[in-house]
Amino acid sequence: MINTKRQAIALLSDHADPAAVVGTEEAGGQNVYVRQVGENLAALGWQVDMFTRKANPEDPTIVQHSPYCRTIRLKAGPETFIPRDRLFDHMPEFVKSFCDFQTQQAYSYPLIHTNYWLSAWIGLQLQQKTGIQLIHTYHSLGVVKYDSVTKPKIAHTRLATEKAILERSSCVVATSPQEKEILKTRVSSKGQIEVIPCGTDTSNFCAIPKVSAREKLGWFPQEKIVLYVGRFDPRKGIETLVQACASLKNQGCDKLKLVIVGGSLTDRIDGQERQRIEQIVQDLGLDEITVFTGQVGHDLLPLYYSAADVCVVPSHYEPFGLVAIEAMACGTPVIASNVGGLRFTVLPEETGLLVPPRDVDAFAGAIHRVIQDEVWAKKLRKQASASVNQRFTWNSVAIKLSHLYRYTLARTIMHEQPWNPPQTSPLWTPVGEEVKRVAV
Ligand code: UDP
């Protein structure tokens, strides 16, 4: 039930279940973001209800994370895993389930924070019928993503929705100044944008002495450990890292060890990409120096980060990249592609290095620089954890979001309608597209 003593708000996260195990399939940064934001907002005095799609009949419908923060799984299509690029058809049912839930609870959320474009679509549907305030975080932007992949059929709807939410929400949250710039120049010049970065749990992600971390993991002190952490997805660029390690080995780099964390062995995208990467490792003769650990939880990840000499984030495109700040929080220098949010989080020569995406020689050169110069690496380690502690804690993210919500709700109560969303037929309905309307 809704706690009437607290202001209740809804976070929508269509596919990324805040209660899911992170690191496999499509469970990654967005799941962590919604869960952390939710829990930290609850600690600040809000009642937070996080809504996601039920993807497994065995999952409980409601998961209570803390007295004032819960995940609610709604019916939206069959209760089975569906990749996010095939979820749109089930979103009208999500809207209906959300409205039914509100009716059962006899409560309508005055403010909804949507995450990812599918939730934005749901939010826009709800906004048409009721005067709710919308706040939105993109997590991934179609306009950038489609620069590097073939546009799917749904692209037109996604791009139109991403433009509409910018123009019609109370405010969108960009997680880096780079994202704000892209929104203004490539999505729409209209709309309110606040830069509020993602965060990390610095009480969990903090430095453990390298020697003891290695001892616990059974890794030798003299090894040069290069770490990857994340989902298996072609856009993560794991292939570039593997090739860079092969190049280093061929140049005679001694005692190199590549540790790849994350992924599953399913026959879905995640498992397929893992098999492809394993094959490349084999073809390049790196089997003996490469370890695939599979998914590792946040409880153990600090050990992996702390034990590594360097963490590499070779993504072709990365909206923010939680892994980079988790690694730096543990005092591990990061070598990352010079793209997206990584350009904001990784400070070149201070907390790591930025190199052009897909550039095998540049990655090899940067890894070599860090693992060969222990004095410099030590300096980077210190600066990396200090930088994250100053700039990227979940608590500071929640405080900024909390201010934004309060400001937005206060303006609503005063009937000022500051950002004046158009009430006419929505600009974002793509002509001739099969966008479905539902009665709410
Ligand atoms: N992750 C994890 N276990 C794994 C692999 C990844 O918990 O085995 C987590 C990682 O710690 C991070 C998230 O998954 O919190 C990945 O977020 P990021 O923003 O780096 O990438 P995304 O998955 O959103 O593309």
Side-chain angles (χ1 to χ4, degrees):
M1 288 300 286
I2 299 290
N3 183 297
T4 47
K5 290 195 190 123
R6 289 188 166 212
Q7 175 66 64
I9 47 158
L11 304 189
L12 297 194
S13 179
D14 48 84
H15 66 282
D17 184 336
V21 175
V22 173
T24 56
E25 296 300 342
E26 292 199 355
Q30 185 178 330
N31 306 64
V32 175
Y33 177 95
V34 177
R35 171 77 175 266
Q36 288 288 343
V37 159
E39 291 204 18
N40 281 277
L41 285 167
L44 292 176
W46 299 85
Q47 159 80 44
V48 184
D49 287 345
M50 308 183 286
F51 293 86
T52 192
R53 183 185 154 266
K54 192 165 186 185
N56 183 346
E58 275 143 42
D59 285 344
T61 300
I62 297 187
V63 181
Q64 196 76 45
H65 300 290
S66 62
Y68 302 108
C69 179
R70 56 186 180 163
T71 291
I72 297 146
R73 297 183 170 119
L74 298 178
K75 176 101 177 69
E79 291 182 357
T80 180
F81 173 78
I82 301 175
R84 68 187 102 167
D85 55 2
R86 280 191 262 135
L87 270 182
F88 181 68
D89 286 349
H90 303 295
M91 292 302 100
E93 192 179 358
F94 195 116
V95 176
K96 184 179 177 308
S97 299
F98 181 82
C99 292
D100 290 348
F101 185 86
Q102 288 196 125
T103 309
Q104 278 162 24
Q105 302 278 308
Y107 182 82
S108 292
Y109 300 90
L111 185 145
I112 299 180
H113 184 157
T114 55
N115 293 273
Y116 194 64
W117 77 269
L118 289 165
S119 295
W121 186 87
I122 298 165
L124 289 165
Q125 296 288 313
L126 296 165
Q127 191 194 47
Q128 280 205 294
K129 293 286 173 194
T130 55
I132 54 161
Q133 298 294 327
L134 292 175
I135 305 281
H136 180 66
T137 305
Y138 285 91
H139 296 280
S140 157
L141 266 173
V143 74
V144 179
K145 184 173 178 175
Y146 300 144
D147 282 344
S148 55
V149 300
T150 321
K151 272 190 192 175
K153 227 180 119 203
I154 200 73
H156 184 54
T157 311
R158 175 175 179 169
L159 294 171
T161 305
E162 289 183 342
K163 181 170 186 280
I165 195 77
L166 176 52
E167 294 178 347
R168 301 183 56 208
S169 65
S170 299
C171 185
V172 305
V173 174
T175 54
S176 67
Q178 287 77 4
E179 186 183 356
K180 179 174 179 176
E181 193 52 32
I182 292 169
L183 286 170
K184 283 199 316 199
T185 54
R186 298 190 62 188
V187 178
S188 175
S189 56
K190 298 188 198 128
Q192 281 290 323
I193 307 170
E194 282 290 322
V195 177
I196 303 178
C198 297
T200 198
D201 178 358
T202 47
S203 63
N204 181 51
F205 291 108
C206 54
I208 299 166
K210 202 192 223 179
V211 181
S212 66
R214 286 194 179 192
E215 220 171 77
K216 287 200 178 105
L217 293 170
W219 299 351
F220 298 113
Q222 67 277 19
E223 284 174 326
K224 302 288 182 195
I225 295 174
V226 179
L227 178 71
Y228 169 85
V229 175
R231 293 179 299 112
F232 277 70
D233 181 317
R235 86 149 163 93
K236 291 288 184 182
I238 308 173
E239 184 175 351
T240 308
L241 168 60
V242 173
Q243 287 167 344
C245 287
S247 159
L248 286 169
K249 192 178 164 231
N250 292 339
Q251 288 167 40
C253 187
D254 217 11
K255 302 196 179 69
L256 194 68
K257 177 170 177 153
L258 172 60
V259 179
I260 302 183
V261 173
S264 62
L265 292 171
T266 63
D267 56 0
R268 302 199 281 250
I269 298 169
D270 183 72
Q272 285 165 13
E273 178 64 0
R274 176 160 166 180
Q275 277 175 24
R276 192 180 78 84
I277 298 294
E278 283 180 351
Q279 188 61 51
I280 297 170
V281 165
Q282 224 175 48
D283 294 347
L284 293 173
L286 293 181
D287 321 40
E288 285 187 5
I289 64 160
T290 306
V291 180
F292 290 88
T293 67
Q295 190 272 343
V296 173
H298 274 195
D299 52 339
L300 288 180
L301 271 179
L303 273 183
Y304 285 79
Y305 287 128
S306 300
D309 288 291
V310 64
C311 179
V312 181
V313 187
S315 313
H316 304 324
Y317 155 58
E318 195 61 74
F320 185 82
L322 287 178
V323 163
I325 57 171
E326 290 167 3
M328 291 189 290
C330 295
T332 308
V334 171
I335 292 169
S337 298
N338 190 8
V339 295
L342 298 168
R343 300 172 64 199
F344 173 54
T345 54
V346 180
L347 306 176
E349 307 287 335
E350 209 177 302
T351 66
L353 292 169
L354 290 173
V355 295
R358 301 174 197 258
D359 188 332
V360 174
D361 290 343
F363 272 98
I367 295 170
H368 190 257
R369 269 189 75 192
V370 176
I371 62 178
Q372 290 309 310
D373 187 343
E374 280 182 19
V375 177
W376 183 52
K378 213 169 166 183
K379 197 171 163 212
L380 290 180
R381 293 178 92 88
K382 264 197 188 152
Q383 289 169 174
S385 64
S387 166
V388 175
N389 278 291
Q390 277 162 22
R391 302 165 71 208
F392 303 115
T393 64
W394 281 123
N395 182 252
S396 66
V397 172
I399 289 171
K400 286 177 191 144
L401 284 174
S402 191
H403 282 147
L404 179 61
Y405 296 168
R406 285 195 195 290
Y407 177 77
T408 306
L409 288 170
R411 300 292 285 256
T412 318
I413 292 161
M414 290 157 71
H415 301 293
E416 283 191 26
Q417 293 294 329
W419 297 313
N420 203 20
Q423 295 302 312
T424 52
S425 181
L427 296 167
W428 51 277
T429 305
V431 179
E433 281 269 341
E434 75 294 12
V435 176
K436 293 177 182 113
R437 269 307 131 59
V438 289
V440 290

